[in-house]
Structures are given as C-alpha cells and as structure tokens.
C-alpha cells in the first residue's frame, strides 16, 4: 500500500488525523466531509495514495476501483433514502482541492442539475 506522508487523506487513512469515519476496509476509508454541502456528505477514498482519477486510466487495479464504487453505492443506499449523488472532482476546472482521489457521496436534500 503506497502512502504520501504529506497527503491530508493519507493521514486520515493512517489514523494520524482524526475523522468522523463511517466505513473502513482494506481498500477504502469513508468519512464525513469537514464542510458538508448536504445533510449527508461523505468522502470515500482509496487506502492507497492515488492523486487523481486519471491515474486509474488504463492501469487501474480492478478490485480497488470496484471497491471504491461499491463503497459509494453502499453509503448512498444507507444514507440516501430518496436518492444520492456521487461526484469526483479532478483538476482546477473541477475545483479539486485535495489531491488524493475521493468520491463525494451527497444525500439528504434535492439537488439541481447541471452542477455549478
Ligand atoms: P475536493 O474539493 O473535491 O478536492 O474535495 C475535498 C473535500 O475535502 C472538501 O469537500 C473539503 O471540505 C474536504 N476536507 C478537507 N479537509 C478535510 C478533513 N480534514 N476531513 C474531512 N473532510 C475534509
């Protein structure tokens, strides 16, 4: 498992930084966003340091990819009684602020489309 000691989410995965954790296994950790934009706002991150979704292009570990998506689905099902949204941001245009891949699982309110 690769880890970047300077990465915020690697520190959360390692337990060095606290988080409000809702799920953990060998492949993923999920915790509540510090600045939620919906009543349920959970981040699902791979336990291995992957900075961007693009790193999965062509060379992804299929088990790790599948587990990341399945964990988001499990959490959406658990917390989104009326539906949920799964989002990932990559690069400056999308507003990515933490460079460790994460899926946002948003639920608990109606959401508009297209996103801003
Ligand atoms: P993004 O802008 O897509 O990179 O999302 C990064 C998310 O990480 C933002 O929604 C932040 O609120 C969230 N965040 C930053 N620091 C923490 C932290 N220590 N614990 C939980 N969430 C965090």
């Amino acid at each position: 498992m690769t880890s970047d000691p300077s990465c915020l989410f690697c520190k959360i995965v390692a337990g060095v930084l606290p988080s409000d954790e809702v799920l953990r296994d060998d492949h993923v950790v999920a915790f509540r966003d510090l600045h939620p934009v919906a009543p349920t706002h959970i981040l699902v991150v791979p336990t291995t340091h992957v900075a961007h979704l693009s790193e999965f292009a062509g060379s992804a570990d299929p088990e790790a990819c599948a587990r990341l998506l399945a964990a988001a689905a499990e959490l959406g099902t658990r917390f989104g009684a009326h539906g949920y949204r799964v989002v990932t941001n990559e690069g400056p245009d999308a507003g990515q602020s933490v460079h460790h891949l994460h899926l946002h699982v948003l639920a608990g309110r109606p959401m508009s489309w297209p996103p801003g």
Side-chain angles (χ1 to χ4, degrees):
M1 181 163 73
T2 59
S3 179
D4 175 349
S6 67
C7 167
L8 182 67
F9 289 173
C10 283
K11 290 179 187 171
I12 288 177
V13 168
V16 174
L17 277 183
S19 73
D20 187 354
E21 192 173 301
V22 293
L23 184 155
R24 175 181 286 267
D25 65 22
D26 286 347
H27 289 295
V28 298
V29 176
F31 49 91
R32 292 189 187 276
D33 197 292
L34 206 53
H35 305 290
V37 298
T40 292
H41 186 171
I42 293 167
L43 303 174
V44 190
V45 311
T47 50
T48 292
H49 183 76
V50 175
H52 308 113
L53 184 64
S54 307
E55 289 181 28
F56 277 177
S59 61
D61 171 351
E63 197 182 353
C65 282
R67 184 59 197 133
L68 191 68
L69 200 54
E74 285 165 24
L75 293 163
T77 303
R78 194 194 316 172
F79 294 104
H82 302 288
Y84 60 94
R85 182 171 289 172
V86 177
V87 177
T88 192
N89 297 314
E90 169 149 344
D93 275 1
Q96 183 178 9
S97 61
V98 178
H99 295 272
H100 180 129
L101 174 61
H102 48 283
L103 302 183
H104 297 254
V105 179
L106 303 163
R109 63 166 172 81
M111 285 169 239
S112 59
W113 190 262

